[in-house]
């Protein structure tokens, strides 16, 4: 701090050096008796130059205007009260007016989260209705309604609501008879829930590479990984992008494999005009709070098969016989969703198209404001498909710099998932992973919420 002190009569050049010493860009001016007589910020300096001063001129008393200071020992609340959006440095003076310290107040900028649920009056209305009905566990009108309406949204016949998206995958695998000794092909770039569910079913995951352009499971790699033990494929519509379902279904039919689509991140996405979730034997969704629509925690299995629907309902409810209460002829689970969660889900579903349009607009706004920086490669969209925006996803070779700068400015960002094959507990299941490694290391999710200050984000990133 000593270096930022100057005496009256100092040359502007030395003053500039003093201002430059301190990160907050302020110099303290004392007189011959060591009394603080002024403070000069870099803004004041700029104005002096504009008013005709030159670097070899000196600073005199007339150049100094009044300033706010505090006395040594003054309490914190009083110090804070002296700050405002323009004044954030308060010099602290001793008994004789000498500078002893200074107080700096950093105005904290508003935190921008990476995702947030859009909860409004309708969610509260339905939730209260379910609450007042006293049907707060896993039966009630909202469960039936949410299952029927969500299945219809996916263009499927049946929906079985579950307590989360992970158990939905497990339930689907068990209902399809996948178990010990069976191989299940999954992509390397996905959240760990996909592989964990295969392991819960005691099956063997086979991790294959993804397409470098779409980031979704690579059909050519699936074909290479098929063995006599392969029983199922789990295509994951990762970051809102649909997998190549025509090629995947062709392979599944050719090799007699089951298909469980993991649609946790892609509600509403389409492949060649057909909704994801309606291609495979069963498709699973997540309604976790950061997902496109949410029920807090929650999930759903959708299917066109009434037989699988009946099977999943039974397994979801401890394997209890539908005809004979408390009679169990297979080991099931408690994977039920509550009526309270489903009430929120019904309200969310009413505005899903609005949420999807808003997220598309967020993506367009990012591209408009950040494209010129040449920092990002945006997620590719194929015209015949409908990619949905779950979290704004892009690739950058400067990932750590981008993340550090945004986090310094209170803007939340997320790296992509680590590749499953990179993690020691899963690496033994690796088949191929070349493209996934590159995408995972460069991928980043930017805040996908309302009120993103795109210009601010662009300014922050322009320094990279
Ligand atoms: C691809 C994928 N599958 C499954 C899940 C699991 O969903 P849940 O968190 O509801 O268990 C997630 C959740 O983030 C996911 O991203």
């Amino acid at each position: 701090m000593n270096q930022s002190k100057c005496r009256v009569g100092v040359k502007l050049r030395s003053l500039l050096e003093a201002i430059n010493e301190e990160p907050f860009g302020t110099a303290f001016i004392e007189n011959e008796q060591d009394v603080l007589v002024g403070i000069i910020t870099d803004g004041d300096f700029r104005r002096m130059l504009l008013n005709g001063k030159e670097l070899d001129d000196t600073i005199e008393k007339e150049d100094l205007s009044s300033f706010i200071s505090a006395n040594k020992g003054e309490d914190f609340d009083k110090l804070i009260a002296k700050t405002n959006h323009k004044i954030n440095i308060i010099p602290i003076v001793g008994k004789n007016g000498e500078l002893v310290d200074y107080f700096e107040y950093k105005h904290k900028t508003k935190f921008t989260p990476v995702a947030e649920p859009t909860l409004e009056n309708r969610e509260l209305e339905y939730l209260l209705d379910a609450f007042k009905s006293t049907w707060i566990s896993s039966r009630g009108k909202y469960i039936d309604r949410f299952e029927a309406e969500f299945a219809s949204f996916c263009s499927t016949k049946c929906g079985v609501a579950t307590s989360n998206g992970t158990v939905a995958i497990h339930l689907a695998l068990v209902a399809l008879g996948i178990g010990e000794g069976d191989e299940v092909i999954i992509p390397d770039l996905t959240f760990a829930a996909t592989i964990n569910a295969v392991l819960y079913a005691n099956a063997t995951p086979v991790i294959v590479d993804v397409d470098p352009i779409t980031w979704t499971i690579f059909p050519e790699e699936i074909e290479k990984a098929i063995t006599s033990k392969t029983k199922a494929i789990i295509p994951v519509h990762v970051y809102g992008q649909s997998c190549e379902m025509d090629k995947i279904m062709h392979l599944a039919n050719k090799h007699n494999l089951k298909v469980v689509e993991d649609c946790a991140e892609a509600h509403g996405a389409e492949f060649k005009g057909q909704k994801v979730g309606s291609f495979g034997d069963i498709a699973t969704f997540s309604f976790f709070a950061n997902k496109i629509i949410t029920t807090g925690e929650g999930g759903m299995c959708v299917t066109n098969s009434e037989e699988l629907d009946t099977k999943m309902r039974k397994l979801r409810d401890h394997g209890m016989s539908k005809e004979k209460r408390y009679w169990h002829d297979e080991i099931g689970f408690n994977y039920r969703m509550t009526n309270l969660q489903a009430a929120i889900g019904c309200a969310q579903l009413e505005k899903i198209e609005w949420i999807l349009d808003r997220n598309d607009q967020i993506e367009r706004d990012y591209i408009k404001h950040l494209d010129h920086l040449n920092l990002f490669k945006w997620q590719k969209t194929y015209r015949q498909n409908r990619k949905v925006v779950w979290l704004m996803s892009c690739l950058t070779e400067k990932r750590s710099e981008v993340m550090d700068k945004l986090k310094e400015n209170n803007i939340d960002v997320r790296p992509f998932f680590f590749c499953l094959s990179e993690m020691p507990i899963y690496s033994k299941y690796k088949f191929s992973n070349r493209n996934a490694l590159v995408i995972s290391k460069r991928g980043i999710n930017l805040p996908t919420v309302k009120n993103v200050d795109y210009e601010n984000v662009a300014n922050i990133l322009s320094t990279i």
Side-chain angles (χ1 to χ4, degrees):
M1 188 180 97
N2 286 342
Q3 281 135 321
S4 66
K5 280 191 196 177
C6 292
R7 286 222 183 272
V8 173
V10 68
K11 283 196 173 166
L12 254 66
R13 189 183 301 280
S14 309
L15 180 70
L16 187 57
E17 279 162 9
I19 289 177
N20 206 32
E21 278 301 321
E22 289 288 336
F24 52 82
T26 302
F28 301 98
I29 316 293
E30 294 178 332
N31 67 12
E32 291 302 319
Q33 289 75 44
D34 293 338
V35 172
L36 182 72
V37 289
I39 65 175
I40 293 191
T41 65
D42 42 15
D44 298 329
F45 194 90
R46 223 168 24 241
R47 282 183 284 277
M48 283 183 199
L49 292 181
L50 288 173
N51 287 337
K53 281 250 186 203
E54 300 206 348
L55 286 181
D56 285 328
D57 290 344
T58 55
I59 285 286
E60 301 306 333
K61 258 192 151 170
E62 320 60 271
D63 298 317
L64 302 171
S65 45
S66 60
F67 63 96
I68 291 179
S69 66
N71 294 319
K72 196 175 171 191
E74 218 166 285
D75 68 30
F76 184 72
D77 287 349
K78 280 196 179 157
L79 285 171
I80 291 277
K82 289 182 176 179
T83 66
N84 60 36
H85 70 285
K86 278 191 181 156
I87 299 175
N88 55 0
I89 302 286
I90 310 286
I92 299 177
V93 294
K95 270 204 307 285
N96 302 317
E98 77 283 12
L99 180 72
V100 290
D101 205 348
Y102 65 86
F103 172 75
E104 184 187 9
Y105 180 71
K106 284 204 175 114
H107 294 274
K108 210 159 169 51
T109 44
K110 199 177 132 271
F111 177 68
T112 309
V114 95
E116 67 192 356
T118 312
L119 300 175
E120 291 158 324
N121 287 347
R122 191 55 67 89
E123 282 79 2
L124 188 60
E125 183 193 320
Y126 291 176
L127 185 60
L128 272 179
D129 184 43
F131 176 85
K132 287 186 194 153
S133 76
T134 74
W135 290 94
I136 60 171
S137 285
S138 49
R139 289 177 69 186
K141 68 175 183 188
Y142 287 106
I143 289 279
D144 300 339
R145 176 171 157 191
F146 188 43
E147 288 182 336
E149 289 181 357
F150 192 74
S152 150
F153 171 77
C154 297
S155 311
T156 53
K157 279 197 203 147
C158 319
V160 180
T162 58
S163 35
N164 59 63
T166 310
V167 301
I169 308 171
H170 182 218
L171 186 66
L173 292 172
V174 177
L176 289 167
I178 312 286
E180 200 165 347
D182 297 337
E183 291 179 357
V184 179
I185 298 177
I186 58 170
D188 200 11
L189 189 71
T190 180
F191 180 58
T194 317
I195 191 166
N196 285 343
V198 175
L199 293 166
Y200 301 160
N202 294 315
T204 306
V206 178
I207 303 170
V208 305
D209 205 2
V210 299
D211 181 302
I213 308 291
T214 63
W215 315 340
T216 57
I217 194 163
F218 215 158
E220 283 92 294
E221 291 299 307
I222 297 179
E223 184 146 37
K224 285 190 217 155
I226 292 173
T227 69
S228 57
K229 292 185 180 160
T230 308
K231 288 282 152 36
I233 309 167
I234 307 185
V236 179
H237 306 295
V238 75
Y239 297 117
Q241 180 92 267
S242 65
C243 300
E244 283 185 81
M245 290 314 297
D246 50 359
K247 291 189 185 161
I248 293 171
M249 292 314 294
H250 174 75
L251 282 175
N253 291 334
K254 186 168 149 197
H255 297 274
N256 196 22
L257 307 177
K258 302 291 182 199
V259 173
V260 176
E261 292 174 72
D262 181 345
C263 310
E265 305 172 8
H267 315 56
E270 289 172 15
F271 178 77
K272 295 189 177 165
Q274 186 179 333
K275 282 263 170 69
V276 301
S278 61
F279 290 88
D281 297 273
I282 301 176
T284 65
F285 287 82
S286 164
F287 305 117
F288 183 68
N290 69 8
K291 294 299 185 292
I292 290 169
I293 60 167
T294 184
T295 57
E297 292 279 356
M300 180 106 60
C301 293
V302 298
T303 179
N304 278 318
S305 155
E306 274 157 27
E307 194 187 327
L308 285 172
D309 176 69
T310 309
K311 187 117 215 251
M312 288 193 286
R313 285 182 188 284
K314 186 173 173 193
L315 284 168
R316 176 182 69 171
D317 196 11
H318 294 285
M320 195 178 350
S321 159
K322 205 176 158 199
E323 292 75 34
K324 204 163 151 189
R325 208 175 180 93
Y326 303 130
W327 184 261
H328 303 259
D329 48 20
E330 62 185 320
I331 298 171
F333 321 98
N334 176 357
Y335 283 172
R336 299 177 304 238
M337 176 185 270
T338 68
N339 197 38
L340 297 172
Q341 290 166 288
I344 299 176
C346 287
Q348 290 269 290
L349 196 51
E350 284 178 13
K351 61 183 182 210
I352 190 165
E353 287 301 341
W354 177 85
I355 293 174
L356 291 171
D357 287 348
R358 183 203 58 190
N359 290 3
D360 284 347
Q361 185 59 47
I362 290 175
E363 183 178 67
R364 284 195 292 274
D365 284 341
Y366 269 116
I367 295 175
K368 183 170 126 202
H369 287 87
L370 302 183
D371 205 31
H372 70 281
L373 299 176
N374 287 327
L375 266 178
F376 300 105
K377 255 197 187 156
W378 309 109
Q379 193 180 12
K380 177 117 185 140
T381 318
Y382 284 112
R383 199 169 299 148
Q384 79 271 36
N385 297 344
R386 180 182 189 191
K387 174 178 84 62
V388 292
V389 178
W390 165 44
L391 294 176
M392 177 67 201
S393 307
C394 47
L395 305 183
T396 173
E397 287 177 26
K398 299 238 161 40
R399 185 167 80 172
S400 57
E401 288 99 316
V402 168
M403 290 185 63
D404 289 350
K405 279 266 170 267
L406 292 177
K407 283 194 167 160
E408 265 168 35
N409 287 277
N410 232 0
I411 298 170
D412 201 9
V413 274
R414 296 286 155 83
F416 272 17
F417 305 121
F418 283 106
C419 289
L420 297 175
S421 60
E422 268 187 287
M423 293 183 257
I425 52 165
Y426 305 127
S427 56
K428 65 175 172 213
Y429 304 114
K430 176 184 110 180
F431 179 79
S432 56
N433 67 356
R434 224 175 64 176
N435 303 324
L437 282 176
V438 178
I439 296 164
S440 158
K441 283 197 168 41
R442 295 186 183 161
I444 192 169
N445 294 122
L446 298 168
T448 313
V449 293
K450 63 173 187 228
N451 297 335
V452 175
D453 185 344
Y454 301 100
E455 271 167 27
N456 185 31
V457 174
N459 279 337
I460 292 166
L461 296 181
S462 66
T463 59
I464 292 177

